[in-house]
Amino acid sequence: MAVQRFAALEIVTIAVIGIGFFAVCTITGSYLEKSFAEYKGRELLVAESFTNKLDDYESFDDATMELSEEVRTVLDKAYGEDGYLRASVLEASNDGYNVVLAVGKAGNIKQESYYKGKVLSLVKNSLEKKLVSYDVVNSERSLAVAVDNDSKMPKRVLVVELAMDEVTEAKDAVSSKAIIYALCGWFAASLLLLIVVLLQDLEWKRVIKTTEKISISKEGWKKPPIHTSEMQLLWNSLGEILKNVAKANYEKFKTFQAYFRFAPKSIERILEKTSISDVHTGDVVDIKGTLALAYISGDKSLKKREIISNINKKFVIMSDCQRNHEGLYLSGDGDLKRQSYMFLDSPQQAMLFGIETCMRFEENRIYDKEKALIMLHPTELTYGICGDDEQATVSVVSDEMNILKKYLRKLSQNGVRMIVTDNMPEEIRDRFSSRYIGFIEQDGKGFKLYEVLDAYPEKERRIRMKTNDKLQQALSLFYKNDYYLARNAFSEVLRECPTDGLAKWYIFRCEDYLNNQNEVDPSFALFADD
């Protein structure tokens, strides 16, 4: 860019210097020619006595030799022997002035109409000013005209044609000096332009680098020393642009941040898209992973607004735990009591999510007047986007999830904190403390349920571990229709662990079957007849 600017300025400089050179030479040459013509013309004043008697002659035929010598004498006195080209005495006629006497080396003066017109004009000028008239014919010749100043319309005039050789030499000398000055001026101007362009180029490079930093959102730039008001204005404008862009970006960020809270997270990851902008309504995908169903109930003694605030505290805890273990939020019910998450990569991360959530609920005393439950179930479900260009929402379709959701509240009401189904790999379950608590079935599908004991405080975990053998024995009796012994076994479990709500539920179920043996068709599934 610097080379282009320099070339453009150099062309302008050459044009300006060339025009100046031409103007100087033309004006100087014209001035020299006029000065020379004036100088030479005034020398013809010595011929005044001769011109005053030109009209006295009736005819030039008898006096030609005498007049010729007299003309030479006058001109030699005025210009010297070689100081003029030719001289002529012109006599008026019907078509102007014609030559009647000629002296000098160049012969007669030219008879072209141009010269005749020029001579006639000079004669009129001499009569008006009562002086010798002179004028430049061209760059090689000039004319001087002398007339009888006492005559109103002279019959004869003296015309002298002078060479402009001296002027030509002077003009050549002026041109030579002008060329030298023009070259020096061009060199100085070019050097100055080069320095200015290089300085401007450095400033422009600073602007370009700074603009590049700004374009890629780099910070830490500062304004360099400024040498021109235009560049100062440019930097100030750049600073204002940056401020406006930063303000617009901040407002945009705050707007995106506000919308981001209401948008489902990691949609692009679930749908295997590059970015959220590639997600469109109607996109559907089948995903495999560990489904985490969460159920949280509020304190019914609270007001409606307080209930929402209370549930929000639990939602914040679960969201934080979900992010800690790289889970994905799927969807939730309108009242936020039921939430669903998905862990695509690791069932163990899902287990850690459930345990951490329960522990933090315990720390926040959520279990005092409220209930909360986490259920984990490895499965496959269909995930899609429904809506239009203005509004869209997530849709999750899974028969197994719909079945399991129905048991969340019952399990939570019976004091269970964390459940995994038999779909959870056994090697994952064995890494944590768990116990079998029964099964559920609906529409031909059934799942065994295991209670994760690590979700309880250490003291209660030990009690439940200690009573696990008795619980398994009671369940075995229950499945054998030995409700009497099963009730007694469940009662022993409840005595040792009064918070075991499932043992209490089995006790009531056993009593129902004992009291209505002939009327009830017994089912061994949890909450089958509730």
Side-chain angles (χ1 to χ4, degrees):
M1 189 169 69
V3 175
Q4 295 173 346
R5 288 204 311 276
F6 179 74
L9 291 173
E10 189 72 2
I11 291 173
V12 173
T13 302
I14 292 173
V16 170
I17 292 176
I19 292 172
F21 172 78
F22 178 78
V24 167
C25 290
T26 301
I27 294 172
T28 303
S30 177
Y31 174 76
L32 290 174
E33 288 174 351
K34 289 182 178 180
S35 298
F36 180 81
E38 179 181 4
Y39 168 71
K40 290 294 185 179
R42 292 185 183 280
E43 290 183 347
L44 193 59
L45 291 173
V46 299
E48 184 175 5
S49 59
F50 171 75
T51 55
N52 287 339
K53 66 179 183 179
L54 282 177
D55 288 346
D56 295 339
Y57 295 97
E58 291 294 333
S59 172
F60 265 42
D61 294 336
D62 299 332
T64 300
M65 293 298 297
E66 179 183 347
L67 289 174
S68 296
E69 290 300 326
E70 189 171 352
V71 168
R72 287 192 181 93
T73 301
V74 171
L75 294 180
D76 288 344
K77 184 177 180 181
Y79 302 112
E81 186 177 348
D82 298 323
Y84 63 95
L85 290 175
R86 53 194 160 195
S88 300
V89 175
L90 276 64
E91 188 174 58
S93 64
N94 294 332
D95 60 347
Y97 285 92
N98 295 316
V99 177
V100 293
L101 175 66
V103 296
K105 297 180 291 183
N108 290 337
I109 195 167
K110 294 183 179 180
Q111 297 292 313
E112 288 88 346
S113 58
Y114 172 74
Y115 275 92
K116 288 185 177 183
K118 181 72 72 173
V119 169
L120 184 60
S121 175
L122 290 175
V123 169
K124 291 180 179 180
N125 191 41
S126 293
L127 290 174
E128 290 175 0
K129 296 183 178 181
K130 306 297 183 180
L131 293 172
V132 174
S133 294
Y134 46 86
D135 197 5
V136 177
V137 177
N138 52 42
S139 60
E140 299 177 355
R141 301 284 185 270
S142 67
L143 292 178
V145 175
V147 300
D148 183 0
N149 294 330
D150 296 331
S151 175
K152 293 182 179 180
M153 180 56 68
K155 184 179 179 182
R156 300 182 181 90
V157 297
L158 175 63
V159 178
V160 180
E161 187 173 359
L162 304 167
M164 302 287 285
D165 295 342
E166 296 180 28
V167 178
T168 302
E169 293 176 1
K171 286 166 60 177
D172 292 342
V174 170
S175 298
S176 300
K177 290 184 178 180
I179 290 174
I180 294 174
Y181 291 147
L183 290 175
C184 292
W186 170 77
F187 179 77
S190 298
L191 182 61
L192 181 60
L193 286 176
L194 181 61
I195 295 172
V196 170
V197 168
L198 290 177
L199 290 176
Q200 286 182 342
D201 191 56
L202 290 175
E203 292 182 334
W204 276 110
K205 284 182 178 179
R206 294 192 191 102
V207 173
I208 292 170
K209 287 182 179 179
T210 303
T211 306
E212 184 180 4
K213 288 182 180 180
I214 294 173
S215 67
I216 58 178
S217 301
K218 282 190 176 181
E219 302 292 338
W221 70 276
K222 62 179 181 179
K223 189 194 316 185
I226 307 300
H227 304 290
T228 61
S229 58
E230 293 82 1
M231 195 60 66
Q232 179 73 37
L233 180 61
L234 177 61
W235 277 99
N236 291 340
S237 300
L238 187 61
E240 289 300 318
I241 291 173
L242 183 60
K243 289 179 183 178
N244 293 333
V245 170
K247 181 180 178 181
N249 287 339
Y250 177 76
E251 293 175 353
K252 187 187 298 182
F253 169 76
K254 297 299 290 184
T255 302
F256 285 158
Q257 191 178 46
Y259 278 100
F260 182 74
R261 292 179 300 158
F262 298 98
K265 306 301 179 289
S266 302
I267 292 179
E268 67 279 6
R269 179 182 169 192
I270 297 174
L271 295 173
E272 298 178 350
K273 302 289 186 179
T274 304
S275 67
I276 190 68
S277 60
D278 297 327
V279 176
H280 305 286
T281 55
D283 289 344
V284 179
V285 66
D286 294 327
I287 56 175
K288 289 183 178 180
T290 302
L291 176 67
L293 299 173
Y295 174 82
I296 51 178
S297 64
D299 185 352
K300 294 182 179 180
S301 64
L302 299 175
K303 296 180 181 179
K304 292 181 180 180
R305 291 180 179 272
E306 294 175 338
I307 291 175
I308 293 178
S309 177
N310 199 25
I311 291 178
N312 181 64
K313 293 177 182 178
K314 301 168 192 174
F315 186 82
V316 170
I317 292 174
M318 287 192 296
S319 296
D320 189 40
C321 295
Q322 163 236 318
R323 287 190 292 268
N324 290 343
H325 299 285
E326 300 179 356
L328 306 175
Y329 179 74
L330 291 183
S331 63
D333 294 342
D335 59 4
L336 297 181
K337 288 185 177 181
R338 292 178 178 83
Q339 304 292 324
S340 57
Y341 301 88
M342 196 72 174
F343 294 83
L344 300 177
D345 301 324
S346 172
Q348 182 168 328
Q349 288 294 326
M351 293 287 284
L352 294 174
F353 156 77
I355 293 171
E356 182 183 351
T357 301
C358 293
M359 289 295 98
R360 291 181 62 174
F361 281 172
E362 180 68 30
E363 293 172 2
N364 288 271
R365 302 175 64 84
I366 287 176
Y367 293 111
D368 290 352
K369 295 183 179 181
E370 303 161 298
K371 301 296 181 182
L373 171 73
I374 303 295
M375 177 183 284
L376 304 180
H377 174 65
T379 185
E380 179 178 343
L381 52 81
T382 301
Y383 183 95
I385 308 298
C386 298
D388 54 24
D389 293 338
E390 294 186 4
Q391 183 172 308
T393 188
V394 170
S395 176
V396 180
V397 179
S398 170
D399 293 337
E400 294 180 356
M401 183 175 72
N402 293 334
I403 293 172
L404 294 173
K405 274 187 175 182
K406 296 179 180 179
Y407 293 91
L408 296 178
R409 184 174 63 86
K410 287 285 186 181
L411 289 166
S412 176
Q413 288 175 344
N414 284 277
V416 179
R417 295 191 178 183
M418 183 173 173
I419 292 289
V420 296
T421 66
D422 55 342
N423 282 22
M424 180 67 71
E426 187 174 354
E427 65 271 15
I428 299 296
R429 293 202 314 267
D430 290 343
R431 297 177 188 174
F432 303 89
S433 300
S434 63
R435 66 175 187 173
Y436 172 73
I437 58 171
F439 68 94
I440 56 175
E441 61 180 4
Q442 183 178 328
D443 300 332
K445 290 185 178 181
F447 304 98
K448 293 181 180 180
L449 302 181
Y450 295 85
E451 183 180 21
V452 179
L453 303 181
D454 291 318
Y456 295 94
E458 183 61 24
K459 181 179 180 180
E460 187 169 356
R461 187 187 73 84
R462 289 179 180 177
I463 294 174
R464 292 184 182 241
M465 285 294 295
K466 182 180 179 181
T467 59
N468 185 39
D469 290 342
K470 293 180 181 180
L471 178 66
Q472 301 306 316
Q473 183 181 4
L475 287 172
S476 178
L477 293 170
F478 180 77
Y479 294 149
K480 292 176 182 179
N481 296 328
D482 195 344
Y483 305 121
Y484 180 79
L485 292 179
R487 182 189 62 181
N488 294 337
F490 284 125
S491 297
E492 289 183 18
V493 172
L494 187 60
R495 278 195 299 271
E496 294 185 30
C497 184
T499 59
D500 194 337
L502 287 176
K504 185 185 293 186
W505 182 87
Y506 276 114
I507 290 173
F508 286 125
R509 184 59 65 204
C510 289
E511 289 180 352
D512 285 343
Y513 291 161
L514 286 172
N515 296 332
N516 303 283
Q517 290 185 4
N518 297 325
E519 300 178 5
V520 177
D521 185 14
S523 173
F524 303 128
L526 276 168
F527 316 120
D529 300 324
D530 290 356

